[in-house]
């Protein structure tokens, strides 16, 4: 199987479109189509389901795409390590992270790592939890730092820990002295929530439905930092994981109270890498630094 054919195949697998792959690679659609046809003849079976809206990898295509992603990433990794032998420059680590870790945990981990490895370079993308996983799966990110509820296909979880959802409120709030709060107690106070595309909101809505409770948030937002600031200014309860705000709570005059329901403890922090990929020494070391920061963030 030729390298060009594999690159063309992977571009179509990632984009789901010959035209988008053509734009990305600056290669004609016909050339990409010919290479994919030859590739399918070589492996002895179709690799895509041709649909009206594009091309979707079938089971064989998914297997080959996973293999090609790992191979290309490991090849790039080896080249960077060879360059590092004779140069001060070292690997570039690409991290995709959900917003919750972008303010404290990740910047602190990068700062500590650069103290030991000043030649390393970082590229960070802050995005939604599902997109973090997608970036790792496609090879756009070496490491993903996000929240998850289930194990994802093609993803290896290097580290995980439970991240119960807490209610954030001022120290002067009527519920602030409680060890835990129930969903019914929260129902008695104004609340601000993340949008329905987040794991926090999905778990909250499911739990509220199980409890037969209806919540009408005074503010809905896709940014947790906005909700945190709103809570600080208005006193309205919002939701978060304690670990991601622990360092700020005392200074900001807030507390984070666990919500007393099993459904609000299903979410976990995950450090993700591509399944089957052999990590370089620098990636292993940075994963170790991330783990250390997550363990000391309580």
């Amino acid at each position: 199987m030729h390298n060009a054919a594999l690159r063309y195949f992977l571009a179509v697998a990632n984009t789901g479109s010959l035209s988008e792959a053509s734009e990305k690679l600056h290669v004609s659609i016909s050339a990409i189509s010919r290479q994919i046809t030859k590739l399918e003849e070589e492996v002895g079976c179709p690799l895509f389901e041709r649909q009206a809206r594009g091309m979707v990898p079938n089971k064989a295509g998914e297997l080959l795409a996973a293999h090609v992603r790992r191979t290309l990433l490991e090849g790039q990794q080896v080249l960077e390590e060879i360059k590092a032998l004779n140069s001060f420059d070292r690997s570039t680590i690409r991290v995709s992270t959900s917003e919750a870790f972008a303010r404290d945990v990740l910047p602190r981990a990068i700062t500590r790592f650069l103290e030991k490895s000043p030649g390393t370079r970082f590229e960070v993308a802050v995005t939604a939890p599902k997109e973090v996983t997608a970036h790792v799966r496609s090879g756009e990110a070496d490491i993903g730092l996000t929240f998850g509820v289930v194990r994802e296909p093609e993803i290896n979880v290097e580290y995980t820990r439970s991240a119960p959802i807490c209610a954030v409120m001022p120290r002067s709030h009527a519920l602030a002295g409680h060890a835990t709060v129930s969903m019914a107690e929260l129902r008695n106070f104004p609340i601000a929530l993340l949008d329905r595309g987040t794991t926090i909101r999905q778990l909250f809505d499911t739990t509220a439905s199980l409890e037969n409770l209806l919540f009408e948030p005074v503010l809905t937002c896709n940014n947790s930092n906005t909700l945190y600031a709103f809570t600080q200014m208005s006193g309205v309860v919002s939701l978060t994981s304690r670990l991601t705000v622990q360092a700020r709570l005392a200074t900001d005059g807030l507390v984070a109270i666990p919500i007393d329901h099993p459904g609000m403890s299903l979410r976990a922090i995950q450090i993700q890498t591509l399944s089957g990929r052999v990590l370089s020494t620098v990636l292993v070391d940075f994963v170790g630094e991330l783990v250390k920061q997550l363990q000391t963030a309580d």
Side-chain angles (χ1 to χ4, degrees):
M1 291 185 289
H2 302 291
N3 185 53
L6 292 175
R7 288 193 298 108
Y8 295 174
F9 159 77
L10 188 59
V12 176
N14 286 341
T15 62
S17 165
L18 285 170
S19 59
E20 288 188 38
S22 174
E23 292 178 9
K24 182 176 181 180
L25 297 171
H26 305 290
V27 177
S28 69
I29 292 176
S30 60
I32 296 174
S33 181
R34 283 196 302 272
Q35 289 290 347
I36 289 177
T37 298
K38 290 180 180 179
L39 189 58
E40 290 179 324
E41 291 173 353
E42 189 168 347
V43 300
C45 68
L47 297 171
F48 291 96
E49 294 178 7
R50 272 74 171 175
Q51 300 179 352
R53 295 187 177 180
M55 298 174 66
V56 179
N58 58 20
K59 290 294 183 182
E62 290 175 355
L63 286 173
L64 182 58
H67 166 75
V68 175
R69 289 187 187 107
R70 289 192 297 267
T71 301
L72 292 178
L73 288 170
E74 289 171 11
Q76 178 184 342
Q77 178 177 297
V78 169
L79 289 176
E80 289 188 351
E81 291 186 349
I82 290 172
K83 291 177 183 178
L85 294 175
N86 300 307
S87 171
F88 182 72
D89 292 330
R90 299 189 182 181
S91 299
T92 296
I93 299 177
R94 300 167 304 160
V95 183
S96 186
T97 181
S98 53
E99 176 208 342
F101 305 101
R103 174 163 175 167
D104 295 317
V105 174
L106 183 57
R108 189 162 53 247
I110 293 174
T111 300
R112 298 291 179 266
F113 194 80
L114 288 175
E115 291 172 357
K116 300 175 290 184
S117 183
T120 304
R121 297 294 176 259
F122 288 86
E123 295 177 1
V124 175
V126 181
T127 187
K130 285 185 178 180
E131 288 300 311
V132 172
T133 301
H135 286 173
V136 174
R137 187 181 290 118
S138 68
E140 295 176 62
D142 301 305
I143 297 170
L145 181 58
T146 189
F147 291 104
V149 178
V150 297
R151 294 270 178 154
E152 297 283 350
E154 298 181 52
I155 296 296
N156 183 53
V157 177
E158 302 286 342
Y159 172 82
T160 186
R161 62 174 291 180
S162 177
I165 298 169
C166 294
V168 178
M169 63 194 73
R171 285 197 294 259
S172 59
H173 195 279
L175 298 177
H178 294 208
T180 62
V181 295
S182 67
M183 295 288 289
E185 287 174 318
L186 289 178
R187 178 65 183 81
N188 297 322
F189 298 92
I191 193 166
L193 297 174
L194 286 164
D195 65 26
R196 288 186 169 87
T198 62
T199 52
I200 280 186
R201 181 62 183 273
Q202 290 161 5
L203 290 174
F204 183 82
D205 285 352
T206 300
T207 302
S209 178
L210 291 172
E211 294 289 305
N212 198 28
L213 295 171
L214 178 63
F215 287 83
E216 295 183 1
V218 299
L219 171 64
T220 300
C221 181
N222 65 350
N223 186 288
S224 61
N225 284 325
T226 299
L227 293 186
Y228 183 92
F230 180 66
T231 292
Q232 191 178 10
M233 296 175 187
S234 69
V236 170
V237 174
S238 60
L239 306 180
T240 191
S241 168
R242 179 194 295 274
L243 182 144
T244 60
V245 298
Q246 183 66 36
R248 294 180 271 160
L249 289 172
T251 301
D252 295 340
L254 303 177
V255 293
I257 311 297
I259 300 174
D260 186 19
H261 192 286
M264 302 301 281
S265 299
L266 295 177
R267 201 172 65 145
I269 296 167
Q270 295 182 352
I271 299 177
Q272 301 177 342
T273 59
L274 184 62
S275 180
R277 180 183 179 185
V278 179
L279 299 185
S280 66
T281 301
V282 71
L283 288 178
V284 171
D285 289 347
F286 185 65
V287 168
E289 185 60 48
L290 277 177
V291 172
K292 185 187 302 182
Q293 294 304 321
L294 289 171
Q295 290 176 334
T296 58
D298 292 324

PDB file of all heavy atoms in Angstrom, residues 7-17 20 24 48 55 57 65 69 137-140:
ATOM      1  N   ARG A   7      -2.550   8.403   2.561  1.00  0.00           N
ATOM      2  CA  ARG A   7      -2.830   9.781   2.975  1.00  0.00           C
ATOM      3  C   ARG A   7      -4.157  10.262   2.394  1.00  0.00           C
ATOM      4  O   ARG A   7      -4.952  10.905   3.078  1.00  0.00           O
ATOM      5  CB  ARG A   7      -1.694  10.718   2.558  1.00  0.00           C
ATOM      6  CG  ARG A   7      -0.423  10.550   3.371  1.00  0.00           C
ATOM      7  CD  ARG A   7       0.556  11.693   3.146  1.00  0.00           C
ATOM      8  NE  ARG A   7       0.992  11.779   1.756  1.00  0.00           N
ATOM      9  CZ  ARG A   7       0.616  12.732   0.905  1.00  0.00           C
ATOM     10  NH1 ARG A   7      -0.228  13.671   1.307  1.00  0.00           N
ATOM     11  NH2 ARG A   7       1.066  12.755  -0.332  1.00  0.00           N
ATOM     12  N   TYR A   8      -4.394   9.938   1.136  1.00  0.00           N
ATOM     13  CA  TYR A   8      -5.651  10.328   0.504  1.00  0.00           C
ATOM     14  C   TYR A   8      -6.829   9.624   1.181  1.00  0.00           C
ATOM     15  O   TYR A   8      -7.863  10.231   1.458  1.00  0.00           O
ATOM     16  CB  TYR A   8      -5.638   9.970  -0.978  1.00  0.00           C
ATOM     17  CG  TYR A   8      -4.625  10.705  -1.819  1.00  0.00           C
ATOM     18  CD1 TYR A   8      -4.430  10.380  -3.157  1.00  0.00           C
ATOM     19  CD2 TYR A   8      -3.836  11.737  -1.287  1.00  0.00           C
ATOM     20  CE1 TYR A   8      -3.499  11.049  -3.942  1.00  0.00           C
ATOM     21  CE2 TYR A   8      -2.901  12.399  -2.055  1.00  0.00           C
ATOM     22  CZ  TYR A   8      -2.732  12.050  -3.382  1.00  0.00           C
ATOM     23  OH  TYR A   8      -1.810  12.705  -4.155  1.00  0.00           O
ATOM     24  N   PHE A   9      -6.635   8.335   1.427  1.00  0.00           N
ATOM     25  CA  PHE A   9      -7.682   7.563   2.098  1.00  0.00           C
ATOM     26  C   PHE A   9      -8.014   8.162   3.463  1.00  0.00           C
ATOM     27  O   PHE A   9      -9.183   8.343   3.814  1.00  0.00           O
ATOM     28  CB  PHE A   9      -7.231   6.103   2.268  1.00  0.00           C
ATOM     29  CG  PHE A   9      -7.957   5.361   3.337  1.00  0.00           C
ATOM     30  CD1 PHE A   9      -9.247   4.887   3.150  1.00  0.00           C
ATOM     31  CD2 PHE A   9      -7.349   5.142   4.578  1.00  0.00           C
ATOM     32  CE1 PHE A   9      -9.922   4.222   4.160  1.00  0.00           C
ATOM     33  CE2 PHE A   9      -8.016   4.470   5.584  1.00  0.00           C
ATOM     34  CZ  PHE A   9      -9.302   4.007   5.371  1.00  0.00           C
ATOM     35  N   LEU A  10      -6.973   8.494   4.247  1.00  0.00           N
ATOM     36  CA  LEU A  10      -7.204   9.009   5.596  1.00  0.00           C
ATOM     37  C   LEU A  10      -7.884  10.376   5.547  1.00  0.00           C
ATOM     38  O   LEU A  10      -8.748  10.675   6.383  1.00  0.00           O
ATOM     39  CB  LEU A  10      -5.888   9.106   6.364  1.00  0.00           C
ATOM     40  CG  LEU A  10      -5.999   9.456   7.848  1.00  0.00           C
ATOM     41  CD1 LEU A  10      -6.851   8.424   8.582  1.00  0.00           C
ATOM     42  CD2 LEU A  10      -4.624   9.559   8.480  1.00  0.00           C
ATOM     43  N   ALA A  11      -7.525  11.200   4.572  1.00  0.00           N
ATOM     44  CA  ALA A  11      -8.161  12.518   4.458  1.00  0.00           C
ATOM     45  C   ALA A  11      -9.657  12.375   4.191  1.00  0.00           C
ATOM     46  O   ALA A  11     -10.481  13.095   4.764  1.00  0.00           O
ATOM     47  CB  ALA A  11      -7.496  13.315   3.344  1.00  0.00           C
ATOM     48  N   VAL A  12     -10.031  11.416   3.336  1.00  0.00           N
ATOM     49  CA  VAL A  12     -11.451  11.187   3.059  1.00  0.00           C
ATOM     50  C   VAL A  12     -12.135  10.595   4.288  1.00  0.00           C
ATOM     51  O   VAL A  12     -13.265  10.966   4.630  1.00  0.00           O
ATOM     52  CB  VAL A  12     -11.630  10.275   1.834  1.00  0.00           C
ATOM     53  CG1 VAL A  12     -13.112   9.954   1.610  1.00  0.00           C
ATOM     54  CG2 VAL A  12     -11.052  10.931   0.588  1.00  0.00           C
ATOM     55  N   ALA A  13     -11.465   9.683   4.971  1.00  0.00           N
ATOM     56  CA  ALA A  13     -12.037   9.081   6.173  1.00  0.00           C
ATOM     57  C   ALA A  13     -12.280  10.129   7.250  1.00  0.00           C
ATOM     58  O   ALA A  13     -13.287  10.091   7.964  1.00  0.00           O
ATOM     59  CB  ALA A  13     -11.117   7.978   6.693  1.00  0.00           C
ATOM     60  N   ASN A  14     -11.360  11.082   7.369  1.00  0.00           N
ATOM     61  CA  ASN A  14     -11.489  12.112   8.402  1.00  0.00           C
ATOM     62  C   ASN A  14     -12.554  13.147   8.062  1.00  0.00           C
ATOM     63  O   ASN A  14     -13.257  13.648   8.939  1.00  0.00           O
ATOM     64  CB  ASN A  14     -10.151  12.825   8.608  1.00  0.00           C
ATOM     65  CG  ASN A  14      -9.145  11.974   9.365  1.00  0.00           C
ATOM     66  OD1 ASN A  14      -9.518  11.015  10.036  1.00  0.00           O
ATOM     67  ND2 ASN A  14      -7.876  12.304   9.245  1.00  0.00           N
ATOM     68  N   THR A  15     -12.666  13.492   6.773  1.00  0.00           N
ATOM     69  CA  THR A  15     -13.594  14.557   6.376  1.00  0.00           C
ATOM     70  C   THR A  15     -14.949  14.023   5.935  1.00  0.00           C
ATOM     71  O   THR A  15     -15.946  14.738   5.985  1.00  0.00           O
ATOM     72  CB  THR A  15     -13.007  15.390   5.226  1.00  0.00           C
ATOM     73  OG1 THR A  15     -12.821  14.542   4.074  1.00  0.00           O
ATOM     74  CG2 THR A  15     -11.667  15.998   5.625  1.00  0.00           C
ATOM     75  N   GLY A  16     -14.971  12.747   5.473  1.00  0.00           N
ATOM     76  CA  GLY A  16     -16.214  12.181   4.951  1.00  0.00           C
ATOM     77  C   GLY A  16     -16.604  12.722   3.590  1.00  0.00           C
ATOM     78  O   GLY A  16     -17.752  12.562   3.167  1.00  0.00           O
ATOM     79  N   SER A  17     -15.635  13.312   2.893  1.00  0.00           N
ATOM     80  CA  SER A  17     -15.975  13.962   1.627  1.00  0.00           C
ATOM     81  C   SER A  17     -14.760  14.001   0.710  1.00  0.00           C
ATOM     82  O   SER A  17     -13.669  14.403   1.135  1.00  0.00           O
ATOM     83  CB  SER A  17     -16.471  15.389   1.889  1.00  0.00           C
ATOM     84  OG  SER A  17     -16.484  16.156   0.721  1.00  0.00           O
ATOM     85  N   GLU A  20     -13.868  17.829   0.258  1.00  0.00           N
ATOM     86  CA  GLU A  20     -13.156  18.416   1.401  1.00  0.00           C
ATOM     87  C   GLU A  20     -11.732  17.892   1.477  1.00  0.00           C
ATOM     88  O   GLU A  20     -10.804  18.636   1.793  1.00  0.00           O
ATOM     89  CB  GLU A  20     -13.902  18.129   2.698  1.00  0.00           C
ATOM     90  CG  GLU A  20     -15.189  18.911   2.852  1.00  0.00           C
ATOM     91  CD  GLU A  20     -15.793  18.754   4.228  1.00  0.00           C
ATOM     92  OE1 GLU A  20     -15.020  18.705   5.210  1.00  0.00           O
ATOM     93  OE2 GLU A  20     -17.026  18.657   4.326  1.00  0.00           O
ATOM     94  N   LYS A  24      -8.245  20.066   1.251  1.00  0.00           N
ATOM     95  CA  LYS A  24      -7.241  19.948   2.310  1.00  0.00           C
ATOM     96  C   LYS A  24      -5.884  19.544   1.758  1.00  0.00           C
ATOM     97  O   LYS A  24      -4.846  20.046   2.194  1.00  0.00           O
ATOM     98  CB  LYS A  24      -7.720  18.923   3.342  1.00  0.00           C
ATOM     99  CG  LYS A  24      -6.793  18.744   4.522  1.00  0.00           C
ATOM    100  CD  LYS A  24      -7.385  17.778   5.537  1.00  0.00           C
ATOM    101  CE  LYS A  24      -6.462  17.618   6.745  1.00  0.00           C
ATOM    102  NZ  LYS A  24      -7.025  16.676   7.749  1.00  0.00           N
ATOM    103  N   PHE A  48     -15.339   2.184   1.998  1.00  0.00           N
ATOM    104  CA  PHE A  48     -16.314   3.230   2.315  1.00  0.00           C
ATOM    105  C   PHE A  48     -17.718   2.800   1.923  1.00  0.00           C
ATOM    106  O   PHE A  48     -17.903   1.983   1.015  1.00  0.00           O
ATOM    107  CB  PHE A  48     -15.987   4.526   1.555  1.00  0.00           C
ATOM    108  CG  PHE A  48     -14.740   5.220   1.994  1.00  0.00           C
ATOM    109  CD1 PHE A  48     -13.550   5.006   1.314  1.00  0.00           C
ATOM    110  CD2 PHE A  48     -14.743   6.075   3.071  1.00  0.00           C
ATOM    111  CE1 PHE A  48     -12.387   5.643   1.711  1.00  0.00           C
ATOM    112  CE2 PHE A  48     -13.591   6.726   3.482  1.00  0.00           C
ATOM    113  CZ  PHE A  48     -12.401   6.507   2.790  1.00  0.00           C
ATOM    114  N   MET A  55     -18.863  10.119   2.051  1.00  0.00           N
ATOM    115  CA  MET A  55     -18.303   8.776   2.146  1.00  0.00           C
ATOM    116  C   MET A  55     -17.995   8.460   3.612  1.00  0.00           C
ATOM    117  O   MET A  55     -17.270   9.204   4.277  1.00  0.00           O
ATOM    118  CB  MET A  55     -17.050   8.665   1.301  1.00  0.00           C
ATOM    119  CG  MET A  55     -17.319   8.894  -0.190  1.00  0.00           C
ATOM    120  SD  MET A  55     -15.825   8.949  -1.182  1.00  0.00           S
ATOM    121  CE  MET A  55     -15.237   7.256  -1.011  1.00  0.00           C
ATOM    122  N   PRO A  57     -16.488   5.585   6.297  1.00  0.00           N
ATOM    123  CA  PRO A  57     -15.722   4.336   6.361  1.00  0.00           C
ATOM    124  C   PRO A  57     -16.591   3.194   6.892  1.00  0.00           C
ATOM    125  O   PRO A  57     -17.324   3.366   7.870  1.00  0.00           O
ATOM    126  CB  PRO A  57     -14.587   4.656   7.338  1.00  0.00           C
ATOM    127  CG  PRO A  57     -14.476   6.145   7.330  1.00  0.00           C
ATOM    128  CD  PRO A  57     -15.869   6.657   7.098  1.00  0.00           C
ATOM    129  N   ALA A  65      -8.161   2.962   8.824  1.00  0.00           N
ATOM    130  CA  ALA A  65      -7.950   4.345   9.249  1.00  0.00           C
ATOM    131  C   ALA A  65      -7.235   4.398  10.594  1.00  0.00           C
ATOM    132  O   ALA A  65      -6.320   5.209  10.789  1.00  0.00           O
ATOM    133  CB  ALA A  65      -9.289   5.078   9.334  1.00  0.00           C
ATOM    134  N   ARG A  69      -3.553   6.151  11.049  1.00  0.00           N
ATOM    135  CA  ARG A  69      -3.348   7.243  12.003  1.00  0.00           C
ATOM    136  C   ARG A  69      -2.173   6.932  12.933  1.00  0.00           C
ATOM    137  O   ARG A  69      -1.300   7.772  13.145  1.00  0.00           O
ATOM    138  CB  ARG A  69      -4.613   7.474  12.833  1.00  0.00           C
ATOM    139  CG  ARG A  69      -5.759   8.089  12.060  1.00  0.00           C
ATOM    140  CD  ARG A  69      -6.907   8.437  12.978  1.00  0.00           C
ATOM    141  NE  ARG A  69      -8.079   8.870  12.229  1.00  0.00           N
ATOM    142  CZ  ARG A  69      -9.176   8.151  12.082  1.00  0.00           C
ATOM    143  NH1 ARG A  69      -9.280   6.966  12.679  1.00  0.00           N
ATOM    144  NH2 ARG A  69     -10.190   8.601  11.374  1.00  0.00           N
ATOM    145  N   ARG A 137      -8.738  10.926  18.380  1.00  0.00           N
ATOM    146  CA  ARG A 137      -9.015   9.811  17.457  1.00  0.00           C
ATOM    147  C   ARG A 137      -8.500  10.090  16.050  1.00  0.00           C
ATOM    148  O   ARG A 137      -8.010   9.199  15.368  1.00  0.00           O
ATOM    149  CB  ARG A 137     -10.520   9.521  17.432  1.00  0.00           C
ATOM    150  CG  ARG A 137     -10.890   8.282  16.638  1.00  0.00           C
ATOM    151  CD  ARG A 137     -12.386   8.037  16.619  1.00  0.00           C
ATOM    152  NE  ARG A 137     -12.870   7.621  17.929  1.00  0.00           N
ATOM    153  CZ  ARG A 137     -13.747   8.308  18.659  1.00  0.00           C
ATOM    154  NH1 ARG A 137     -14.244   9.447  18.205  1.00  0.00           N
ATOM    155  NH2 ARG A 137     -14.149   7.860  19.827  1.00  0.00           N
ATOM    156  N   SER A 138      -8.600  11.335  15.613  1.00  0.00           N
ATOM    157  CA  SER A 138      -8.179  11.684  14.258  1.00  0.00           C
ATOM    158  C   SER A 138      -6.683  11.957  14.145  1.00  0.00           C
ATOM    159  O   SER A 138      -6.159  12.092  13.038  1.00  0.00           O
ATOM    160  CB  SER A 138      -8.939  12.928  13.780  1.00  0.00           C
ATOM    161  OG  SER A 138      -8.535  14.075  14.511  1.00  0.00           O
ATOM    162  N   GLY A 139      -5.998  12.048  15.300  1.00  0.00           N
ATOM    163  CA  GLY A 139      -4.573  12.346  15.276  1.00  0.00           C
ATOM    164  C   GLY A 139      -4.261  13.826  15.327  1.00  0.00           C
ATOM    165  O   GLY A 139      -3.091  14.204  15.281  1.00  0.00           O
ATOM    166  N   GLU A 140      -5.280  14.689  15.439  1.00  0.00           N
ATOM    167  CA  GLU A 140      -5.038  16.126  15.541  1.00  0.00           C
ATOM    168  C   GLU A 140      -4.416  16.491  16.884  1.00  0.00           C
ATOM    169  O   GLU A 140      -3.791  17.550  17.009  1.00  0.00           O
ATOM    170  CB  GLU A 140      -6.333  16.901  15.349  1.00  0.00           C
ATOM    171  CG  GLU A 140      -6.952  16.769  13.971  1.00  0.00           C
ATOM    172  CD  GLU A 140      -8.278  17.489  13.871  1.00  0.00           C
ATOM    173  OE1 GLU A 140      -8.302  18.722  14.047  1.00  0.00           O
ATOM    174  OE2 GLU A 140      -9.304  16.813  13.612  1.00  0.00           O
TER     175      GLU A 140
END
